[in-house]
Amino acid sequence: MIFEEEFKEITSSNEFIKFKEKNPLSFLSGVFILGTNFQFDFYNPENEKIGSFTFIGNDIKTEESDVFKKENNKVKQLNLDKVKINLNNIKKLMSSLLDKYNQKSNREITILQQDEFPIWNVSYLTEQFKLLHVKINAINGKIIEEKLENIMSFKV
């Protein structure tokens, strides 16, 4: 796992220990990756809040927010031990998809979350103003969904 050190450092930090004391039922629900920044989200089913932990330089930033989900969906626990396809594999796959569509990436957003199984949910904004969105099974690396859309066609 490419962010294993960050995860261990977060979960052993004073900030996280205090959070777990106040939110003992909370569990890892997702990892949000923007560039080289990792955000670890922990869901508390008691109050339906997300506690987010992010490295800012050498400091850990914490934030609590409402959960972002469809009304009837249940937030599931993400088990990192089940993830067999790491972030390096995802970047290689996305690079080949960019080549396939003759695109170059400007911004990348990657989310690791749990569905029936762990899923990499990856979105690349390209220099050609398109959005390449791909869902990948994090256990076997199979593409579940792949879309390339012109962002100018999105309705505001």
Side-chain angles (χ1 to χ4, degrees):
M1 192 65 44
I2 212 150
F3 48 78
E4 188 174 313
E5 286 181 36
E6 289 89 348
F7 182 73
K8 285 179 181 175
E9 197 167 332
I10 292 269
T11 55
S12 62
S13 71
N14 289 332
E15 293 89 343
F16 184 78
I17 292 167
K18 288 176 189 171
F19 170 80
K20 276 301 272 184
E21 286 172 357
K22 292 179 185 174
N23 304 279
L25 297 180
S26 63
F27 55 81
L28 181 65
S29 60
V31 182
F32 181 86
I33 305 160
L34 184 60
T36 59
N37 296 322
F38 297 94
Q39 174 179 303
F40 299 91
D41 293 331
F42 293 84
Y43 175 69
N44 183 346
E46 289 181 305
N47 62 10
E48 295 195 333
K49 300 275 186 186
I50 296 283
S52 299
F53 295 81
T54 310
F55 275 106
I56 306 293
N58 290 330
D59 298 324
I60 296 173
K61 178 186 171 203
T62 63
E63 184 177 310
E64 186 176 85
S65 60
D66 292 327
V67 67
F68 179 69
K69 68 178 180 72
K70 292 180 182 172
E71 194 169 318
N72 293 330
N73 285 5
K74 183 179 177 185
V75 176
K76 297 175 182 163
Q77 184 169 359
L78 175 61
N79 183 345
L80 294 179
D81 292 334
K82 291 185 178 181
V83 176
K84 303 301 178 202
I85 306 302
N86 69 29
L87 191 56
N88 285 336
N89 300 123
I90 296 305
K91 288 187 177 287
K92 287 176 188 171
L93 175 63
M94 292 303 293
S95 178
S96 69
L97 290 175
L98 286 169
D99 289 346
K100 170 183 165 183
Y101 290 113
N102 198 25
Q103 300 289 308
K104 292 187 181 187
S105 175
N106 245 352
R107 297 271 189 262
E108 305 166 9
I109 298 172
T110 305
I111 302 170
L112 178 60
Q113 61 197 108
Q114 186 72 33
D115 200 356
E116 291 108 44
F117 46 84
I119 291 177
W120 288 102
N121 196 341
V122 187
S123 296
Y124 279 18
L125 178 62
T126 73
E127 292 176 353
Q128 297 84 357
F129 296 106
K130 295 192 177 177
L131 183 68
L132 176 60
H133 181 79
V134 182
K135 289 184 180 181
I136 305 158
N137 183 317
I139 296 171
N140 62 24
K142 290 186 180 178
I143 294 175
I144 301 164
E145 183 179 309
E146 174 185 336
K147 288 192 281 188
L148 180 69
E149 300 176 280
N150 187 327
I151 61 170
M152 299 303 181
S153 66
F154 292 149
K155 295 181 182 178
V156 180

